[in-house]
Amino acid sequence: MSINEVFMPALSSTMTEGKIVSWVKSPGDKVEKGETVVVVESDKADMDVETFYEGYLAHIIVPAGETAPVGAAIAYIAETEAEIATAKSLANADGAAATPTPDPVPVATAAVAAPVTASQNGSNHQPGRVVVSPRARKLAKELRVDLNTLKGSGPYGRIVAEDVEVAVGKVQPVTTAPSIPPQPQPPVSVPTPISTPTPASTPAPVVSSSVPGQVVPFTTLQNAVVRGMVASLSVPVFRVSYTISTDGLDKLYKQIKSKGVTMTALLAKAVAVTLQKHPILNASYSDQGVVNHSNINVSVAVAMDDGGLITPVLQNADAVDIYSLSRTWKSLVERARAKQLQPAEYNSGTFTLSNLGMFGVDTFDAILPPGQGSILAIGASRPQVVATQDGLFGVRQQMQVTITCDHRIIYGADAAGFLQDLAKLIETNPQSLTM
């Protein structure tokens, strides 16, 4: 008999649970190895999940709309049609056996409610907890095998039936391929203040799901933001504000807007070019020391219509031309709204922008995303009466920017120098952003 489990995969390094968006296959359907069987909502995107087994989808443990911890079984796949009924009875038997048990087998309830540090294989299994497949638990009981003495060969260290059989000498040791192979991910940066994709047009209002008198549960994405923000409280930060005249940048934007260039891309490009001269602002802290990143990847915070926010990443923003950068940004925002971003497109940022200027906000402070050293908050560009160098008065377009930095690796002079050079670029040489 060969009945395999499909597990909730770890689709990002911050994911502790996933929500089943839809099952592509129905119970009894034939499935091929590598074929998509289910769509899962992680903390950042909806992603197709493939099976590493060939056979028949015998039983769905977690139906569409419900959530499960990473590493938990969500379905059974039987090798033959004849084993479908066996898989169903196995699921029913395991469900009945689990009823009086206060401690669930796959992953503890507490691991879902509290932030969990993912292990190297992407699971959130806590040390000391025995994770056992339903079939292995039943077999161990029949053969009187102590599960605590076994080392699991299944996905995320799970004890499977073959491990029990090996322990009693019924079969030779085998290597069980995981249904969802863990994929190591770079550190995820979770953004903070709300921003919108492009300041070129008036942003659409965020649709509220508030119902008077009711508690609306957090979405998966909102929960990820909550965990990130709580983690940020432990970081010592400081903030520096600066006033930048934008007349030249505004003029350039009007000239090239018709070619598809966005203000977001222009600002990201300006920041990236300035970071070339100030690499410490592009660095991040680790217990071992300063992490100097080889690429300048600018994240930009984008509010999601159903709550939460995400930071699509403009990778190598300093080296990409402004026209390609704008096309990339448009694509990133569209796919972010549709929850179709790949992990590297939202978790590889090294510096973050948060722009509330299009909402008319003058100035604000941004919370530092975990895993990064700096975030720049951008306010609205407004006409201001200023004193000119010749002693007269004039009107200039000015915006307030505030940078938040990790004080463990970045100091006040570092931040001030970066802002000075950013202002100089925007005020005196914005045309260089098109080269």
Side-chain angles (χ1 to χ4, degrees), residues 84-96:
I84 293 178
T86 304
K88 291 181 178 179
S89 62
L90 185 64
N92 293 333
D94 182 66

Side-chain angles (χ1 to χ4, degrees), residues 364-412:
F364 68 101
D365 296 336
I367 300 175
L368 185 68
Q372 293 187 16
S374 307
I375 180 172
L376 185 67
I378 300 174
S381 178
R382 298 184 183 280
Q384 302 286 347
V385 177
V386 300
T388 63
Q389 292 182 345
D390 54 9
L392 302 176
F393 289 100
V395 177
R396 297 284 186 272
Q397 287 289 132
Q398 293 186 333
M399 69 179 181
Q400 294 281 336
V401 298
T402 301
I403 193 167
T404 302
C405 299
D406 186 338
H407 212 336
R408 294 173 296 183
I409 60 171
I410 301 170
Y411 305 106

Side-chain angles (χ1 to χ4, degrees), residues 197-198 302 304 312 326-341:
T198 63
V302 173
M304 301 293 282
S326 295
R327 289 193 295 271
T328 298
W329 178 243
K330 181 179 179 181
S331 173
L332 286 170
V333 171
E334 289 176 349
R335 287 184 289 116
R337 302 286 189 190
K339 298 182 179 180
Q340 294 177 346
L341 291 179

Side-chain angles (χ1 to χ4, degrees), residues 263-403:
M263 182 59 81
T264 294
L266 279 172
L267 292 170
K269 179 76 171 180
V271 165
V273 171
T274 308
L275 286 173
Q276 291 177 332
K277 300 179 182 179
H278 301 270
I280 190 62
L281 274 296
N282 192 56
S284 59
Y285 170 88
S286 75
D287 292 338
Q288 291 71 41
V290 179
V291 179
N292 294 299
H293 300 290
S294 56
N295 298 326
I296 297 176
N297 298 339
V298 179
S299 305
V300 185
V302 173
M304 301 293 282
D305 292 337
D306 58 350
L309 54 112
I310 193 170
T311 51
V313 180
L314 290 167
Q315 300 185 17
N316 301 304
D318 58 321
V320 178
D321 68 88
I322 191 63
Y323 303 103
S324 298
L325 204 64
S326 295
R327 289 193 295 271
T328 298
W329 178 243
K330 181 179 179 181
S331 173
L332 286 170
V333 171
E334 289 176 349
R335 287 184 289 116
R337 302 286 189 190
K339 298 182 179 180
Q340 294 177 346
L341 291 179
Q342 295 300 307
E345 293 177 319
Y346 60 75
N347 65 13
S348 60
T350 57
F351 186 102
T352 295
L353 294 183
S354 184
N355 187 355
L356 290 180
M358 69 287 300
F359 287 104
V361 173
D362 290 320
T363 183
F364 68 101
D365 296 336
I367 300 175
L368 185 68
Q372 293 187 16
S374 307
I375 180 172
L376 185 67
I378 300 174
S381 178
R382 298 184 183 280
Q384 302 286 347
V385 177
V386 300
T388 63
Q389 292 182 345
D390 54 9
L392 302 176
F393 289 100
V395 177
R396 297 284 186 272
Q397 287 289 132
Q398 293 186 333
M399 69 179 181
Q400 294 281 336
V401 298
T402 301
I403 193 167

Side-chain angles (χ1 to χ4, degrees), residues 121-313:
N121 67 1
S123 77
N124 62 352
H125 171 56
Q126 297 179 354
R129 181 173 299 284
V130 180
V131 183
V132 190
S133 75
R135 182 180 167 213
R137 182 171 291 277
K138 182 179 180 181
L139 190 60
K141 184 177 181 181
E142 293 174 353
L143 299 177
R144 297 185 179 181
V145 174
D146 184 359
L147 293 171
N148 292 308
T149 64
L150 302 184
K151 182 177 181 181
S153 63
Y156 312 119
R158 176 183 296 266
I159 297 174
V160 295
E162 287 77 8
D163 298 322
V164 179
E165 293 172 342
V166 168
V168 296
K170 292 183 66 175
V171 298
Q172 294 297 315
V174 294
T175 301
T176 305
S179 59
I180 303 298
Q183 301 177 357
Q185 303 291 346
V188 176
S189 169
V190 182
T192 51
I194 299 176
S195 175
T196 52
T198 63
S201 57
T202 302
V206 176
V207 178
S208 174
S209 57
S210 300
V211 179
Q214 293 186 11
V215 176
V216 180
F218 288 126
T219 65
T220 309
L221 179 56
Q222 287 174 315
N223 274 320
V225 174
V226 169
R227 291 194 297 270
M229 294 307 93
V230 171
S232 293
L233 294 177
S234 64
V235 179
V237 299
F238 70 95
R239 299 171 179 87
V240 179
S241 298
Y242 208 94
T243 301
I244 301 177
S245 296
T246 63
D247 295 275
L249 186 66
D250 294 337
K251 181 179 179 181
L252 173 64
Y253 174 61
K254 290 178 181 178
Q255 292 173 349
I256 59 179
K257 177 182 178 181
S258 61
K259 298 180 181 179
V261 174
T262 67
M263 182 59 81
T264 294
L266 279 172
L267 292 170
K269 179 76 171 180
V271 165
V273 171
T274 308
L275 286 173
Q276 291 177 332
K277 300 179 182 179
H278 301 270
I280 190 62
L281 274 296
N282 192 56
S284 59
Y285 170 88
S286 75
D287 292 338
Q288 291 71 41
V290 179
V291 179
N292 294 299
H293 300 290
S294 56
N295 298 326
I296 297 176
N297 298 339
V298 179
S299 305
V300 185
V302 173
M304 301 293 282
D305 292 337
D306 58 350
L309 54 112
I310 193 170
T311 51
V313 180

